[in-house]
């Protein structure tokens, strides 16, 4: 029995000695249960709505007030014409547009009033929720009028899904899967590869060679850049030929943004490799530590707008959020560089910071 207790004590000390792994193993379940249990929701809130209202009568005023009073919507402005809607979506200023017909109040009496709900179809699930909420408000108003002077009037909104009229779910998950795979290959494999060299002692042999350390790191990173580019091209080919997901924007712009994201992930992998000592710790840090934020906080599954404020703030630190956002804009919406300049700027700054930290930490370990 004493021998057994001694072995248990030895194993416990062995586990406790690796503090970084312990932090990941103990803190990760707590974070996940808090995220899934209370913070993350498939409900959509704080939806930015623009209204095109050429009628400007008392009925449209009441409907707009009801939309504004809803817990889901926030009216961010009025547009002068339907032609301005595309630009508002491309710039990310709105999530939903409500377009009333001219003479809406009179049209309700005659029975020919028309209202159109336009949503961003790049995320078809979210777009369906938005139009469903807005249709509910319109139906509620119409039902209240059944017994009054507008008896018989019904409002049947015309739903339009911008960029994805067939509401294919593949339009949403292809950019997300792209970000996930890039992160998996570049960050995880790079960190594990370098830590393996340290564990087996071959890193010291490599560093004692005439080649400079920076070239050794670059030599280890280049194969993963090539692998990531091959994956990028294969996903693009499958998306277009099998899933019928179009590349409406510039392919070169898409490739450039993806290359930037690959460099960012490689920098992240290099930084992780300087912080951990074992391959297992590298897998846990890069796998669970990076995959979970990508899955939960990048907008891949849960709408960022519906998250609590603190999680929205945390999501701005997740590189995949900006990459997925940029890919959706270029690939699905077909916009040019000016509409993804913010995402490119943020990804560039993140890459610069991570690369500087990683190289500085790597040099410190060498010294």
């Amino acid at each position: 029995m004493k021998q057994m207790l001694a072995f248990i004590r030895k194993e416990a000390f062995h586990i406790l000695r690796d503090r970084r792994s312990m932090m990941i193993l103990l803190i990760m379940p707590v974070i996940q249960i808090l995220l899934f249990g209370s913070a993350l929701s498939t409900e959509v809130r704080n939806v930015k709505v623009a209204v095109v209202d050429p009628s400007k009568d008392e009925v449209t005023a009441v409907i707009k007030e009801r939309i504004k009073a809803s817990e889901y919507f926030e009216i961010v402005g009025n547009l002068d014409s339907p032609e301005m809607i595309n630009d508002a979506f491309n710039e990310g200023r709105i999530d939903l547009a409500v377009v009333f017909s001219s003479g809406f109040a009179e049209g309700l009496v005659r029975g020919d009033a028309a209202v159109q709900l336009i949503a961003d179809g790049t995320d078809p699930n979210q777009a369906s929720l938005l139009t469903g909420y807005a249709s509910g408000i319109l139906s509620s108003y119409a039902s209240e009028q059944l017994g009054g002077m507008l008896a018989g009037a019904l409002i049947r909104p015309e739903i339009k899904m911008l960029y994805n009229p067939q509401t294919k779910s593949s339009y949403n998950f292809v950019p997300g899967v792209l970000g996930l795979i890039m992160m998996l290959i570049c960050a995880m494999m790079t960190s594990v590869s370098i830590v393996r060299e340290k564990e087996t002692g071959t890193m010291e042999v490599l560093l004692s060679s005439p080649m400079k350390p920076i070239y050794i790191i670059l030599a280890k990173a280049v194969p993963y850049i090539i692998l990531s580019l091959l994956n990028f091209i294969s996903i693009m080919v499958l998306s277009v030929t099998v899933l019928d997901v179009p590349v409406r924007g510039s392919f070169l712009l898409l490739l450039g943004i993806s290359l930037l994201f690959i460099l960012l992930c490689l920098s992240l992998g290099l930084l992780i490799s300087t912080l951990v000592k074992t391959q297992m710790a590298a897998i846990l840090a890069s796998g669970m530590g990076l995959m979970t934020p990508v899955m939960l906080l990048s907008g891949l599954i849960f709408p960022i707008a519906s998250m609590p404020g603190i999680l929205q703030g945390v999501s701005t630190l997740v590189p995949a959020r900006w990459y997925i956002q940029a890919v959706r804009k270029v690939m699905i919406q077909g916009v040019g560089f000016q509409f993804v300049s913010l995402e490119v700027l943020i990804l560039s700054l993140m890459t610069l910071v991570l690369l500087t930290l990683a190289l500085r930490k790597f040099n410190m370990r060498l010294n």
Side-chain angles (χ1 to χ4, degrees), residues 16 28 51 62 102-103 106-107 119 143 203 210 256 269:
L16 291 172
M28 191 58 68
V51 180
V62 171
S102 299
E106 294 80 8
S143 299
M203 180 58 82

Side-chain angles (χ1 to χ4, degrees), residues 22-315:
M22 281 298 298
M23 284 179 65
I24 293 170
L25 290 171
L26 294 178
I27 294 175
M28 191 58 68
V30 175
I31 293 174
Q32 285 186 336
I33 196 67
L34 287 175
L35 285 174
F36 280 108
S38 59
L40 296 176
S41 167
T42 53
E43 281 191 352
V44 182
R45 296 179 187 276
N46 306 317
V47 177
K48 294 175 285 187
V49 180
V51 180
V52 180
D53 182 14
S55 182
K56 292 184 173 59
D57 54 46
E58 68 280 4
V59 176
T60 58
V62 171
I63 293 175
K64 282 192 286 187
E65 279 303 313
R66 294 196 177 190
I67 292 174
K68 191 177 178 181
S70 165
E71 60 178 325
Y72 303 113
F73 299 115
E74 174 192 357
I75 294 183
V76 294
N78 295 293
L79 300 177
D80 295 330
S81 69
E83 286 73 28
M84 299 172 70
I85 291 175
N86 265 348
D87 284 344
F89 273 110
N90 289 339
E91 292 166 4
R93 289 189 280 119
I94 62 171
D95 304 307
L96 180 73
V98 182
V99 184
F100 293 102
S101 60
S102 299
F104 188 79
E106 294 80 8
L108 271 183
V109 178
R110 294 192 305 269
D112 60 356
V115 59
Q116 192 178 35
L117 301 176
I118 304 175
D120 180 356
T122 53
D123 186 346
N125 293 330
Q126 180 176 328
S128 298
L129 281 174
L130 301 188
T131 53
Y133 294 156
S135 298
I137 293 173
L138 294 170
S139 299
S140 171
Y141 175 80
S143 299
E144 291 174 12
Q145 306 305 317
L146 287 175
M149 61 180 293
L150 297 178
L154 284 176
I155 303 174
R156 296 186 180 88
E158 178 193 347
I159 309 293
K160 181 179 179 182
M161 296 293 179
L162 216 57
Y163 314 119
N164 184 12
Q166 297 174 322
T167 61
K168 290 184 175 179
S169 58
S170 52
Y171 280 49
N172 181 40
F173 75 72
V174 165
V177 169
L178 204 53
L180 201 59
I181 290 175
M182 298 291 182
M183 185 67 77
L184 184 69
I185 291 177
C186 298
M188 183 185 286
M189 296 309 293
T190 305
S191 61
V192 171
S193 168
I194 295 175
V195 173
R196 188 194 303 126
E197 298 276 10
K198 288 195 295 186
E199 269 191 318
T200 55
T202 51
M203 180 58 82
E204 281 74 12
V205 177
L206 291 172
L207 292 174
S208 62
S209 67
M211 188 178 286
K212 290 183 179 179
I214 186 67
Y215 293 132
I216 295 173
I217 296 300
L218 286 175
K220 293 193 77 63
V222 166
Y224 294 111
I225 294 178
I226 296 171
L227 278 173
S228 301
L229 285 175
L230 287 175
N231 273 293
F232 168 77
I233 292 170
S234 62
I235 290 173
M236 285 294 106
V237 171
L238 287 172
S239 301
V240 173
T241 57
V242 179
L243 300 174
D244 290 329
V245 179
V247 181
R248 294 195 177 109
S250 164
F251 181 77
L252 286 178
L253 178 59
L254 198 58
L255 182 63
I257 295 170
S258 299
L259 263 175
L260 178 60
F261 187 65
I262 288 170
L263 286 177
L264 187 151
C265 295
L266 288 172
S267 307
L268 202 50
L270 180 59
L271 181 62
I272 290 171
S273 71
T274 63
L275 298 174
V276 298
K277 295 178 180 176
T278 64
Q279 291 184 64
M280 181 59 71
I283 291 171
L284 286 172
S286 56
M288 296 181 70
L290 297 179
M291 297 288 283
T292 303
V294 172
M295 295 288 289
L296 303 181
L297 298 176
S298 67
L300 175 61
I301 299 175
F302 302 99
I304 292 171
S306 65
M307 296 177 188
I310 187 168
L311 284 186
Q312 290 190 34
V314 174
S315 75

